[in-house]
Amino acid sequence: MEKALDAFCLEGRPVSCERYGMGHINRTWLVATDAGRRYILQQLSREAFHDIPALMENVRAVTEYLAERTDDPRASLHLIPTRDGACWHRDGEGEAFRVYDFVEDSLCLQATETPEDFVQSAVAFGRFQYQLRDFPAAALGETIPNFHNTPERYRQFDAALRADPLGRAKELGREIDFVLARREEAGTLQRLREEGSLPLRVTHNDTKLNNVLLDAKTRRALCVIDLDTVMPGLSAFDFGDSIRFGASTAAEDERDFDRVKVDLGLYELFVRGFVPACGGLSAEELQSLPWGARLMTLECGLRFLTDYLNGDVYFSVACPEHNLVRARNQFRLVSDMEAKWDRMRQIAESAR
Ligand SMILES: Nc1ncnc2c1ncn2[C@@H]1O[C@H](COP(=O)(O)OP(=O)(O)O)[C@@H](O)[C@H]1O
Ligand SMILES: [Mg+2]
């Protein structure tokens, strides 16, 4: 690790380097130097990311753009250059490293402690949309191709169903019917995107609470972190995935499906934090937000079901039926959103 650190232009000499945070993808260390500076060192996951040069180019472009537009150094991430002037370093074994300034006096929550924490995550991701509203989103690399292309996810499901390598399809009649009955509407966002009815935006694509830093004193949104999945997309993607994860009344793998519902109170709080922070979404975009919630949830359930058919090759599982439980859980959430659809639309459309 110390060797990798040598590659970067730090202020002072490193005096400590300890594992840090609760991230599940990269390996993260907190580094302190004898000049009293602190940094975040990360080794990027080569398993999760297949095009690290493109990924780091996205991160560099977005962080530089944000830094040029704010005076507050804690309002965005700052990459520390290497001695060669690059924004990341590949060591002799092919491992990829980067260094950020440590955002001091910040708080990273694993779970909300109050509803206001959820509002602040909405503000952080909405503000991210706003700050990048004029960024040329199409110039970003699509580091995970077709990430939220739901019709393409259906094609992957079709292929898994045809192959059915473990003979699991025969127990899945209800789930398969559920998915196929929604094929047409599942293409709504992709169609609007292709038609150009919705603006192409910079999306974060991993809008979990622990990818937001709050100010430790005020507990208000400071910045978003973990920009590894930043890509061109729709505002409905970030909004929708936040609702899928943050406004569900149960965990993603809760087996008591009667407990899985969308909490309209939390949904409304998120809308009221997100929409104003985005600073002017068009009428079409406002209408797309509840679709984002519904379709990100359907798509996620579809991916779990596809992986179950494929023999659990993508998502890690703790038991053989784990992906099936997750899929059923997400489908239950979709059904609850369908039942509450009119209200979800009213809340979004009245938020302008
Ligand atoms: N610049 C930073 N300043 C302070 N803490 C950070 C910074 N970058 C990351 N962290 C902490 O490290 C954790 C893991 O970083 P993250 O980039 O989210 O990695 P992963 O992709 O593994 O989730 C975060 O949840 C946060 O606690
Ligand atoms: Mg993270």
Side-chain angles (χ1 to χ4, degrees):
M1 219 46 52
E2 281 72 14
K3 256 181 94 186
L5 268 180
D6 266 354
F8 293 89
C9 301
L10 306 184
E11 209 181 301
R13 276 201 329 260
V15 288
S16 68
C17 179
E18 279 156 22
R19 285 299 294 271
Y20 187 78
M22 311 262 281
H24 292 301
I25 308 294
N26 301 307
R27 297 175 71 193
T28 300
W29 293 265
L30 173 60
V31 178
T33 74
D34 59 6
R37 289 291 310 270
R38 299 207 286 176
Y39 298 96
I40 285 284
L41 168 70
Q42 288 186 315
Q43 179 181 348
L44 284 117
S45 165
R46 287 203 281 170
E47 221 171 76
F49 306 121
H50 300 137
D51 190 350
I52 289 177
L55 179 159
M56 284 307 300
E57 183 47 33
N58 284 354
V59 174
R60 186 200 60 74
V62 166
T63 53
E64 275 181 11
Y65 186 94
L66 291 174
E68 279 165 17
R69 283 160 183 78
T70 166
D71 298 329
D72 180 358
R74 295 195 305 150
S76 73
L77 289 174
H78 292 254
L79 282 166
I80 304 299
T82 67
R83 296 180 193 280
D84 304 333
C87 64
W88 63 288
H89 168 70
R90 202 191 279 287
D91 75 4
E93 271 122 58
E95 297 297 344
F97 294 88
R98 69 173 164 222
V99 176
Y100 288 118
D101 276 333
F102 182 74
V103 179
E104 299 285 355
D105 303 315
S106 63
L107 210 58
C108 178
L109 300 177
Q110 298 307 314
T112 54
E113 288 163 18
T114 67
E116 184 57 24
D117 294 336
F118 192 49
V119 175
Q120 290 305 313
S121 81
V123 170
F125 287 111
R127 195 181 291 157
F128 185 72
Q129 290 291 316
Y130 176 73
Q131 290 167 327
L132 293 162
R133 66 197 178 285
D134 294 325
F135 184 96
L140 289 174
E142 211 179 330
T143 47
I144 310 174
N146 294 315
F147 191 52
H148 283 313
N149 181 341
T150 317
E152 179 57 29
R153 297 289 187 187
Y154 265 82
R155 288 190 279 278
Q156 292 162 3
F157 166 76
D158 294 337
L161 190 56
R162 268 197 308 275
D164 191 20
L166 271 62
R168 285 176 162 177
K170 60 183 180 297
E171 4 149 2
L172 301 177
R174 280 177 48 201
E175 288 73 24
I176 293 169
D177 287 349
F178 186 93
V179 157
L180 295 181
R182 287 159 181 78
R183 185 173 208 130
E184 171 86 23
E185 70 186 44
T188 302
L189 288 176
Q190 183 64 22
R191 196 171 56 246
L192 293 169
R193 178 178 179 168
E194 285 168 7
E195 283 170 10
S197 312
L198 295 172
L200 196 67
R201 299 210 176 244
V202 178
T203 48
H204 183 280
N205 293 311
D206 192 8
T207 52
K208 288 194 294 279
L209 185 70
N210 64 8
N211 286 330
V212 171
L213 296 183
L214 304 179
D215 185 296
K217 283 198 197 81
T218 64
R219 222 181 161 96
R220 293 168 78 87
L222 202 52
C223 64
V224 303
I225 58 170
D226 203 345
L227 305 175
D228 296 333
T229 48
V230 161
M231 277 183 277
L234 304 177
S235 51
F237 294 166
D238 278 357
F239 174 86
D241 209 41
S242 302
I243 296 301
R244 179 190 75 76
F245 196 80
S248 172
T249 52
E252 206 172 68
D253 50 9
E254 171 63 57
R255 286 162 186 266
D256 181 355
F257 302 120
D258 288 340
R259 295 173 66 174
V260 184
K261 297 194 162 54
V262 57
D263 180 329
L264 283 183
L266 288 177
Y267 173 83
E268 183 157 8
L269 282 178
F270 197 89
V271 168
R272 304 242 175 265
F274 184 80
V275 172
C278 285
L281 298 179
S282 66
E284 289 80 9
E285 261 185 314
L286 276 179
Q287 281 169 15
S288 77
L289 297 182
W291 275 112
R294 192 160 150 177
L295 295 188
M296 293 302 101
T297 310
L298 176 62
E299 182 185 281
C300 184
L302 180 67
R303 291 179 63 197
F304 288 138
L305 190 64
T306 302
D307 200 38
Y308 183 69
L309 283 166
N310 282 335
D312 312 311
V313 292
Y314 185 81
F315 298 106
S316 51
V317 290
C319 58
E321 70 283 2
H322 203 159
N323 272 321
L324 180 56
V325 169
R326 288 166 171 152
R328 287 179 171 152
N329 174 309
Q330 296 296 297
F331 295 155
R332 188 56 91 85
L333 191 54
V334 171
S335 298
D336 195 48
M337 289 181 186
E338 289 169 357
K340 295 172 178 164
W341 186 237
D342 289 344
R343 193 69 197 114
M344 285 177 70
R345 292 188 60 161
Q346 283 163 9
I347 291 169
E349 284 166 32
S350 66
R352 52 177 72 242

